[in-house]
Amino acid sequence: MTTPDLERAGRPSAGRSPTAVPFPRLTPPPAFSPELARQDFPILHRTVNGKPLVWLDNGATTQKPRQVIEAVAGFYGAGNSNIHRGAHTMAREATEAYEAGRAAVARFLGAASPDEIVFVRGTTEAINLVAQSWGRSHLGPGDDILVPVLEHHSNIVPWQLVAKETRARVVPVPLRPDGQIDFGAYADLLSMRTQLVVISQASNVLGSVPPVKEMTALAHRYGAKVLVDGAQAVAHFPVDVQDLDADFYAFSGHKLFAPTGIGALYAKPEVLESMAPWQGGGNMIESVGFDRTTYAPMPHRLEAGTGHISGVVGLLAALNWLTSFDRDAIAAYENGLLAYAQQALATVPGLELLGSAPDRIAVLTFTLAGHDPAGIADWLDRDGIAIRAGHHCAQPALAHYGLDSAARASLALYNTSEEVDQLVASLGRLVQTAA
Ligand SMILES: Cc1ncc(COP(=O)(O)O)c(C=O)c1O
């Protein structure tokens, strides 16, 4: 891309020296251009059922830019080797790429050091790791784990499993009618028994963004640790784990334009040091003997076996790609698109959007009178429009609305108002056909 192209795409112009920036600034920052960003996504140019693909299933997974695809292909084409082993050039190169990925994740999350980042398969594995490693050694009978009703199953079930083993209690934090976490009830549930609070930074069902920083500060007053599930947040707005003061932060690469099977867990260094190995094997040891085995320092102690090396290479490429844009410009663009989509969907007779939290990402979950969600998804699919239908792995959140299933359109930075128009037009045709 040329410099004007970069600016049109909303990327800060690279290489401009700080002294060259006029002050006061005379021109507004460049707006984000989804059209330029989507040129990086080969898949967005395919057709489905004879229609151009409209990918509105980003909450499930995002598409991958060619920079990520090429980085993964390049690794297997020219760089494939195992890491941390073997005294040869290829092993050294692969190790450097892997550790560069760790450093990039640390920067992306605002962590103080790459040593605070553990590579995992994704958010689910990160949460299970914390439950099994930290949970089993820190939880006991009578301890509480506070879990908002809004959480994804992967932030509920691991706590139920470890609570059963340790005889701790999983305590649901209720929602208000508008779908936001009931802050008053949360404050009342906190006590000296609370060992852990878990919170999604953005809900995959309602898109709502709870006051994580305030909830964390309150939990810390009781000495509780806080785990933040960033699965839905990371692609939409900048994250700073130190500002949040989170003890743990988990995310999945595939919801962030990176490959599947790779994600990261951040933990504060003092918390990491208090964690026992959760899986044994290569890479996580210092020395092994039948009389005594000692372990590698953190974070390697929690990374047994060969990691997803090409996944880390792809994740690094995805982070480089995403952070080449002005992320505030992306957030502003997505907020505008969300407002547009909310207004447009409201014109469809019988359509009801779930949740009305003012602070939210572009997730639109809805019901349509007389149509079951699976039928809606099927109808839209015939028009090349991909949405999700079902319980969205958040059955307690849907039960709050008296539902067991709903339709969900989830938007990403490469979606456009024209695509929202196509969604609304297709839903309009469905309503007319059924009338
Ligand atoms: C809020 C939230 N947490 C956790 C997960 C689980 O992510 P993964 O399946 O990538 O581990 C998801 C996936 O949709 C999610 O939306």
Side-chain angles (χ1 to χ4, degrees):
M1 270 190 187
T2 63
T3 300
D5 275 350
L6 285 170
E7 288 188 343
R8 274 194 296 139
R11 291 171 158 122
S13 48
R16 184 186 278 167
S17 88
T19 49
V21 177
F23 184 81
R25 195 181 212 151
L26 297 176
T27 49
F32 173 74
S33 162
E35 278 79 18
L36 279 172
R38 62 190 286 129
Q39 284 175 13
D40 288 337
F41 291 80
I43 208 168
L44 296 180
H45 304 287
R46 68 162 280 182
T47 56
V48 169
N49 296 324
K51 308 277 173 51
L53 169 65
V54 176
W55 184 257
L56 303 180
D57 197 15
N58 296 289
T61 199
T62 53
Q63 298 301 348
K64 320 303 171 202
R66 69 185 154 72
Q67 290 84 344
V68 169
I69 300 166
E70 285 166 9
V72 173
F75 175 75
Y76 283 124
N80 183 44
S81 168
N82 210 328
I83 55 166
H84 300 305
R85 316 180 172 146
H88 56 73
T89 304
M90 302 281 285
R92 268 195 302 278
E93 284 177 6
T95 305
E96 276 166 22
Y98 199 74
E99 294 308 322
R102 199 188 302 277
V105 170
R107 276 195 305 278
F108 182 73
L109 295 181
S113 155
D115 294 343
E116 297 163 3
I117 306 299
V118 183
F119 283 125
V120 286
R121 277 196 299 135
T123 311
T124 305
E125 189 170 69
I127 296 171
N128 277 279
L129 188 168
V130 176
Q132 292 305 316
S133 170
W134 181 89
R136 279 211 263 172
S137 53
H138 289 81
L139 296 169
D143 288 341
D144 286 350
I145 310 162
L146 266 51
V147 181
V149 166
L150 202 49
E151 294 306 304
H152 190 278
H153 294 165
S154 65
N155 207 12
I156 300 175
V157 183
W159 306 118
Q160 292 175 327
L161 292 173
V162 76
K164 200 166 174 196
E165 281 174 45
T166 59
R167 295 179 42 225
R169 273 197 323 170
V170 172
V171 180
V173 180
L175 296 181
R176 298 194 323 216
D178 66 358
Q180 296 194 69
I181 293 172
D182 186 331
F183 200 90
Y186 167 67
D188 289 345
L189 287 169
L190 278 167
S191 75
M192 295 314 284
R193 286 190 310 275
T194 312
Q195 294 299 325
L196 181 70
V197 171
V198 302
I199 328 161
S200 280
Q201 205 181 8
S203 157
N204 65 312
V205 181
L206 304 179
S208 46
V209 175
V212 170
K213 193 173 167 178
E214 290 73 14
M215 290 176 72
T216 302
L218 202 52
H220 283 163
R221 279 204 229 155
Y222 292 86
K225 300 279 181 263
V226 177
L227 178 143
V228 181
D229 170 348
Q232 294 293 335
V234 278
H236 298 285
F237 51 83
V239 172
D240 185 333
V241 288
Q242 292 191 75
D243 182 56
L244 288 177
D245 202 18
D247 298 284
F248 302 103
Y249 191 97
F251 78 90
S252 304
H254 72 97
K255 295 184 196 288
L256 184 67
F257 315 105
T260 50
I262 187 69
L265 170 71
Y266 156 85
K268 282 183 181 166
E270 64 275 19
V271 180
L272 260 186
E273 284 309 324
S274 76
M275 289 167 72
W278 79 305
Q279 290 178 340
N283 282 333
M284 52 77 71
I285 54 89
E286 198 176 62
S287 72
V288 177
F290 281 100
D291 48 348
R292 189 169 121 90
T293 290
T294 56
Y295 303 115
M298 289 292 184
H300 308 289
R301 201 183 308 162
L302 296 174
E303 292 179 353
T306 298
H308 186 3
I309 307 165
S310 66
V312 172
V313 168
L315 178 59
L316 172 60
L319 295 180
N320 285 340
W321 179 82
L322 181 61
T323 54
S324 74
F325 295 96
D326 176 342
R327 298 212 57 206
D328 291 332
I330 293 176
Y333 170 73
E334 287 188 4
N335 281 339
L337 190 62
L338 169 66
Y340 181 81
Q342 284 170 316
Q343 282 172 20
L345 284 169
T347 65
V348 178
L351 189 146
E352 271 195 54
L353 282 168
L354 258 59
S356 51
D359 215 359
R360 57 194 298 168
I361 56 164
V363 167
L364 300 130
T365 297
F366 60 92
T367 56
L368 188 57
H371 297 275
D372 76 278
I376 299 170
D378 206 41
W379 171 274
L380 292 171
D381 184 50
R382 285 182 231 161
D383 280 338
I385 303 169
I387 65 151
R388 180 102 192 262
H391 55 57
H392 309 293
C393 298
Q395 287 177 332
L398 281 188
H400 172 78
Y401 289 96
L403 297 171
D404 56 18
S405 173
R408 180 187 74 183
S410 47
L411 312 181
L413 53 82
Y414 43 59
N415 291 124
T416 63
S417 55
E418 289 76 25
E419 290 180 314
V420 171
D421 292 344
Q422 288 171 51
L423 169 70
V424 171
S426 184
L427 289 170
R429 284 192 296 276
L430 173 60
V431 171
Q432 266 176 4
T433 310

